[in-house]
Amino acid sequence: MPQIIKGATSPGGARATDDRVRETVAGVISDIRARGDEAVRAYSEKFDNWSPASFRLTADEIHRIMSGVPDTTLDDIRTVQSNVREFARAQRESIGDFELETMPGVFLGQRNIPVSAAGAYVPGGRYPLVASAHMTIVTAKVAGVERTVACTPPIKGEIPAATVAAMSLAGADEIYLLGGVQAVAAMAVGTETIGRVDLLAGPGNAYVAEAKRQLFGEVGIDLFAGPTEILVIADEHADPFVAAVDLLSQAEHGPDSPAVLVTTSEQVARRTLAHIDALLPTMSTQDYAGPAWRDHGQVIVVGDLDEAYAVADGFASEHVQVLTRHPREALERMSQYGALFLGEGTCVSYGDKVIGTNHTLPTRGAARYTGGLWVGKYLKTVTYQEVVNTGSSAELGELCGRAARVEFFEGHARSGDVRAAKYAGADLPWAPDAYRAGSA
């Protein structure tokens, strides 16, 4: 049985808080549906103290903003976006259109068509998540999305210049300095000045996540996102200091971010705990990382790596980092995770910021049934069919008639009957006499 060295002390957010968020979001969305731009402006003033003449940035404004961003930052953005673009292109090339002939003259095919318009939400708030621009916009453009709309909030009344630069370099067609539920709702339902999109992508706080949940169906979304998660699998060869640093790297996302260590070594477990205790007071983000570790951090000691993989799969964590002698073994042994980070030379922060894979990943156990944001999320996989051989159509018609009547779908059956009659002379006992006589 696993030994719990440190357990989580909080089960998560309270139901009352969830209800408040839900009601607030529903009210904002309803108001924006009714009043459009007027409501968007009112909420931007209320929540962000931001009410420019136009929320959309012009090309000249974008150029001016980017001119104030250090060259090193711009170069880094270009490098990271190149990594993201290369991986996304490989994903796109892995998705093929095809057509096959299943019977003589019966052609079935598949096409992958980009959505026409996608909305990318890039959070601001305390942390300007510049990397989210790469993950949402670059991936959309590689998929072939014609119109990509990007929104990010001002930060304490200031324009997040690096984020705007990242949006522009990623290829956003429209950039709005607009945040929160008002941004997500405006993109989803449309206003007088913001055209609606077909799909929303990008992370955000609890209000943004709830807005996406309520709007899902009216538009597509990437994921139902929750707090960032990390789970580290470590054997006796793992460096406890590295494990501690990497656990805290994700805990700083927010006070409700789970960080879990599953290890085969009690010594590694206890030394990792000691390092965390020493490191936390030195972190500038300790006001987030501290509560996250206190309330949601866990350290679990297991008997062997087989048990470690099983425990990790049970969590279905967003990020799983494998600090073992043979990390690639996890590729064959695990199946429930958002992304794997194999070996000490790799870390979750690389995936979050620079390496090229997408950082928008499933949380709260969603890795049991989905992966993360990828180029395929922006594609609609559709099918087509064509029957040009009359004999095959007649054969399918007879089959359709029998199959449909088993389900009591007489109308469906008759569509098949007509073709069996027209192409192979089958009887139509239900048809008017005039048609059966050939006079219709």
Side-chain angles (χ1 to χ4, degrees):
M1 291 291 292
Q3 178 186 1
I4 308 298
I5 302 295
K6 181 192 182 304
T9 61
S10 174
R15 173 65 60 183
T17 301
D18 291 342
D19 289 342
R20 265 197 313 276
V21 170
R22 190 176 301 114
E23 291 167 7
T24 300
V25 168
V28 173
I29 293 173
S30 177
D31 195 15
I32 290 173
R33 286 189 196 280
R35 297 195 295 134
D37 283 339
E38 182 183 0
V40 169
R41 184 169 297 279
Y43 290 113
S44 182
E45 290 176 343
K46 177 179 179 180
F47 297 126
D48 290 325
N49 194 28
W50 184 253
S51 183
S54 172
F55 291 107
R56 182 174 178 177
L57 295 176
T58 65
D60 287 344
E61 287 172 327
I62 293 169
H63 182 268
R64 177 179 55 78
I65 292 166
M66 290 180 63
S67 68
V69 179
D71 289 341
T72 300
T73 300
L74 293 175
D75 289 342
D76 287 346
I77 288 171
R78 292 186 181 99
T79 298
V80 174
Q81 289 187 352
S82 177
N83 293 341
V84 174
R85 190 173 292 109
E86 181 179 6
F87 190 76
R89 283 174 177 162
Q91 288 184 323
R92 182 64 185 90
E93 290 167 5
S94 75
I95 308 169
D97 296 352
F98 67 84
E99 181 176 283
L100 71 157
E101 189 175 9
T102 58
M103 297 169 59
V106 178
F107 298 96
L108 309 182
Q110 172 178 293
R111 296 186 65 212
N112 295 279
I113 303 173
V115 299
S116 296
Y121 186 75
V122 182
R126 176 171 179 168
Y127 302 134
L129 294 186
V130 176
S132 288
H134 321 327
M135 307 302 175
T136 52
I137 302 167
V138 169
T139 308
K141 299 312 283 187
V142 170
V145 176
E146 183 176 350
R147 173 175 168 259
T148 302
V149 181
C151 287
T152 196
I155 300 177
K156 297 180 180 178
E158 299 294 327
I159 295 173
T163 302
V164 171
M167 289 171 157
S168 179
L169 292 171
D173 300 289
E174 301 169 25
I175 298 176
Y176 296 85
L177 281 179
L178 185 64
V181 177
Q182 59 271 24
V184 172
M187 289 191 286
V189 307
T191 71
E192 299 92 327
T193 60
I194 303 175
R196 62 173 296 172
V197 300
D198 304 308
L199 184 143
L200 292 168
N205 62 18
Y207 291 89
V208 168
E210 175 61 18
K212 289 168 66 178
R213 188 192 69 80
Q214 291 188 22
L215 291 161
F216 178 58
E218 184 171 354
V219 293
I221 66 169
D222 49 358
L223 293 167
F224 293 114
T228 294
E229 304 163 350
I230 182 173
L231 185 146
V232 174
I233 297 174
D235 63 11
E236 69 276 15
H237 305 286
D239 183 335
F241 185 75
V242 171
V245 169
D246 290 345
L247 287 164
L248 291 177
S249 75
Q250 298 302 297
E252 75 177 358
H253 273 276
D256 50 359
S257 288
V260 180
L261 173 65
V262 179
T263 178
T264 58
S265 167
E266 184 172 347
Q267 182 182 25
V268 167
R270 297 197 181 279
R271 289 180 63 196
T272 300
L273 275 171
H275 285 307
I276 288 174
D277 289 342
L279 288 168
L280 258 174
T282 71
M283 293 180 66
S284 60
T285 52
Q286 63 175 298
D287 53 338
Y288 276 10
W293 179 249
R294 180 192 67 216
D295 297 337
H296 303 283
Q298 297 186 58
V299 176
I300 302 169
V301 177
V302 295
D304 53 32
L305 281 175
D306 287 341
E307 189 176 10
Y309 296 136
V311 169
D313 263 354
F315 277 92
S317 183
E318 177 187 15
H319 307 102
V320 175
Q321 188 164 329
V322 185
L323 301 178
T324 63
R325 175 176 280 184
H326 303 292
R328 292 183 70 88
E329 183 180 76
L331 287 170
E332 305 301 325
R333 303 301 301 277
M334 292 188 64
S335 62
Q336 300 191 159
Y337 52 85
L340 280 181
F341 300 82
L342 303 175
E344 186 179 275
T346 319
C347 62
V348 175
S349 295
Y350 286 177
D352 281 348
K353 306 299 181 186
V354 297
I355 205 168
T357 49
N358 207 290
H359 76 191
T360 305
L361 298 167
T363 59
R364 291 179 169 168
R368 294 178 295 107
Y369 59 83
T370 188
L373 180 61
W374 69 302
V375 82
K377 183 64 72 171
Y378 295 97
L379 300 174
K380 300 173 291 183
T381 300
V382 299
T383 61
Y384 63 90
Q385 40 275 309
E386 181 183 27
V387 182
V388 298
N389 181 288
T390 56
S392 293
S393 185
E395 185 178 340
L396 287 169
E398 292 178 354
L399 177 62
C400 181
R402 294 192 300 271
R405 287 187 173 98
V406 168
E407 298 176 347
F408 306 108
F409 275 86
E410 181 62 22
H412 286 65
R414 290 182 179 189
S415 286
D417 293 348
V418 165
R419 287 154 179 85
K422 186 166 186 175
Y423 299 140
D427 190 25
L428 285 180
W430 49 265
D433 291 341
Y435 183 89
R436 295 175 66 194
S439 58

